[in-house]
Amino acid sequence: MERMNGPALQPLPLATAAGPRLVHEDSFSYKENLIGALLAIFGHLLISIALNLQKYSHIRLAGSKGHRVYFKTKTWWGGLFLLFLGELGVFSAYAFAPLSLIVPLGAVSVIATAIIGIIFIKEKWKPKEFLRRYVLSFVGCGLAVVGTYLLITFGPNSHETMTGENITKHLVSWPFLLYTLVEIILFCLLLYFYKERKANYIVVILLLVALLGSMTAITVKAVAGMIAVSVRGNLQLGYPIFYIMVVCMVATAAFQATFLTQASQLYDASQIASVGYILSTTTAITAGATFYLDFTGEDVLHICMFALGCLIAFLGVFLITRNKRKSILFEPYISMDAMPGMQNLHDNGTAVQPDLKTSFSYGALESNETISEIYAPAMLPVVQEEHGSKKALVPPYRVTEHRKEE
């Protein structure tokens, strides 16, 4: 009996010894995910603050009397320094966490921008008007925070050492080759419709940006991972694949900037932010799943909860950007044919004041008593014409006569 029980009890120590090792590996991978997520969140926060600092610098220079260039101000250089730190933090995050986890965390930048805009807003709102104006922003921020929490909690746990051999193996794998073929065909079709058919739709332009962005994300993950492995002692900078990835990273980022510049000339920044975030995140997650196999070995529950977190973050970003006020371009003159009330200007020889508008424009105020909290109206030259009427009514505001000297 003792000889029979002896071998039967031998596998038990092996099973108990394997248990803590598996738990240690899972906890280590979750720790790396947490480090990468925190670096990405910190980086996006710094990027948002940096862009707002640079925008504040430009606004101050535009309102100043003296002529100064923006790169001679401390505020602009401080924003540039924070922007560099933020991009470095996001770049470092790719070395710790999977690609599919880092990319959706770009919603943090939208949340931070919305909060900064509300805190430093200069208009004075009544409580009811403030709540009505920013209720969608608050709801969107809440949804984006919930989505970010789900992304971090149920993100993929696949961790692979980014060596030159592993990246080359993924580069020639059939799932990525098939994905690359489909992406190239789709990119060429979109580029044809955009350039030849003049299909300047926001979805077309931003889908071109998203397709390029998916390749940028793949190359950034590879470059950051190989640098991290090299820092740990296993030098990877001697592999040609490293320099190929660097060139692809720079090229795709440059083309993205070109298409984004073209989109900003046609559409509002809030539309570009929401649609671009949704399309770029979707394509980047798909690229990470095919190239790095991020979701291999994940159970269905984690994948579904991760997808739910993405959808909630998408909805939050959409609500935040939907509530942003559109910028009103400043015009130094008035298009007289577009002014309300111009059709009655010469009916009885009296200059008729245009209707009151909520947006700022010259001559759009009915009385000087209501302008103390807004702007003072500018004086416009008005030509007084007589149409047989001897009595001319006195206009309710000052009129300067403009006579043509012969």
Side-chain angles (χ1 to χ4, degrees):
M1 291 293 293
E2 294 179 358
R3 296 180 63 181
M4 293 178 62
N5 292 336
L9 294 176
Q10 287 179 359
L12 293 178
L14 296 177
T16 55
R21 183 179 179 181
L22 181 61
V23 173
H24 176 71
E25 291 179 355
D26 291 342
S27 61
F28 180 74
S29 62
Y30 181 77
K31 182 180 178 181
E32 284 192 333
N33 279 8
L34 185 60
I35 293 174
L38 291 177
L39 284 174
I41 292 173
F42 179 73
H44 286 299
L45 286 176
L46 287 182
I47 291 172
S48 180
I49 296 173
L51 294 178
N52 281 278
L53 274 179
Q54 290 185 332
K55 183 178 180 181
Y56 176 72
S57 175
H58 287 290
I59 292 175
R60 288 189 61 185
L61 289 177
S64 62
K65 296 181 180 179
H67 179 70
R68 294 181 61 190
V69 290
Y70 62 90
F71 54 82
K72 290 186 178 181
T73 60
K74 296 180 180 179
T75 308
W76 187 86
W77 280 104
L80 183 63
F81 178 71
L82 292 179
L83 181 63
F84 174 77
L85 288 182
E87 293 292 350
L88 183 61
V90 177
F91 180 81
S92 302
Y94 283 96
F96 291 93
L99 171 64
S100 302
L101 175 61
I102 299 301
V103 172
L105 295 180
V108 176
S109 180
V110 182
I111 299 172
T113 303
I115 295 175
I116 293 174
I118 292 175
I119 292 176
F120 293 99
I121 192 170
K122 294 185 177 181
E123 291 93 341
K124 295 181 180 180
W125 299 90
K126 296 180 180 180
K128 292 183 180 179
E129 294 178 354
F130 183 84
L131 183 61
R132 184 174 63 252
R133 175 76 173 84
Y134 293 103
V135 61
L136 289 181
S137 294
F138 287 125
V139 174
C141 288
L143 290 176
V145 169
V146 173
T148 303
Y149 173 76
L150 292 178
L151 290 173
I152 297 175
T153 305
F154 297 98
N157 264 338
S158 61
H159 293 271
E160 183 181 11
T161 305
M162 291 291 103
T163 60
E165 294 87 353
N166 292 335
I167 294 176
T168 305
K169 180 184 66 176
H170 290 304
L171 192 62
V172 297
S173 61
W174 70 265
F176 179 70
L177 293 177
L178 181 61
Y179 172 80
T180 305
L181 178 61
V182 173
E183 182 169 317
I184 291 175
I185 295 175
L186 182 59
F187 184 85
C188 292
L189 288 176
L190 291 173
L191 191 62
Y192 170 77
F193 283 107
Y194 175 60
K195 294 294 185 180
E196 300 297 331
R197 300 293 183 179
K198 305 300 180 182
N200 297 329
Y201 302 108
I202 186 172
V203 176
V204 174
I205 303 176
L206 294 183
L207 192 54
L208 289 171
V209 176
L211 293 176
L212 291 171
S214 64
M215 291 299 175
T216 305
I218 290 175
T219 54
V220 168
K221 170 71 175 176
V223 172
M226 294 181 73
I227 292 177
V229 174
S230 300
V231 170
R232 294 170 184 171
N234 188 4
L235 187 62
Q236 300 293 319
L237 303 184
Y239 290 92
I241 191 63
F242 175 79
Y243 302 98
I244 294 175
M245 289 294 180
V246 171
V247 172
C248 292
M249 178 181 65
V250 175
T252 53
F255 282 110
Q256 279 187 84
T258 302
F259 285 115
L260 281 176
T261 303
Q262 297 174 7
S264 63
Q265 297 173 356
L266 299 175
Y267 297 97
D268 186 67
S270 60
Q271 295 178 339
I272 296 175
S274 60
V275 179
Y277 171 75
I278 294 173
L279 293 178
S280 298
T281 303
T282 304
T283 54
I285 291 175
T286 305
T290 54
F291 188 87
Y292 294 107
L293 306 176
D294 286 343
F295 296 96
T296 301
E298 298 290 335
D299 54 5
V300 179
L301 177 61
H302 278 71
I303 296 176
C304 292
M305 293 302 295
F306 180 82
L308 179 62
C310 289
L311 293 177
I312 294 176
F314 291 165
L315 181 59
V317 171
F318 174 76
L319 292 179
I320 293 173
T321 55
R322 184 178 181 271
N323 198 43
K324 284 188 176 181
R325 179 184 296 178
K326 294 183 179 180
S327 58
I328 302 173
L329 297 178
F330 177 78
E331 296 182 357
Y333 61 89
I334 297 179
S335 180
M336 301 301 290
D337 57 348
M339 291 178 65
M342 274 303 296
Q343 64 273 13
N344 301 322
L345 180 61
H346 303 296
D347 289 348
N348 55 1
T350 303
V352 179
Q353 181 74 5
D355 298 332
L356 179 65
K357 295 293 182 182
T358 55
S359 61
F360 172 68
S361 60
Y362 286 113
L365 302 173
E366 293 182 341
S367 83
N368 293 338
E369 298 177 356
T370 61
I371 66 172
S372 59
E373 296 181 357
I374 315 177
Y375 295 94
M379 309 310 297
L380 296 176
V382 179
V383 179
Q384 294 288 345
E385 297 182 1
E386 296 182 358
H387 292 273
S389 176
K390 295 182 179 181
K391 296 182 179 180
L393 298 177
V394 179
Y397 53 86
R398 181 182 176 184
V399 178
T400 59
E401 295 184 355
H402 180 74
R403 294 186 178 89
K404 181 178 180 182
E405 298 181 1
E406 297 180 356

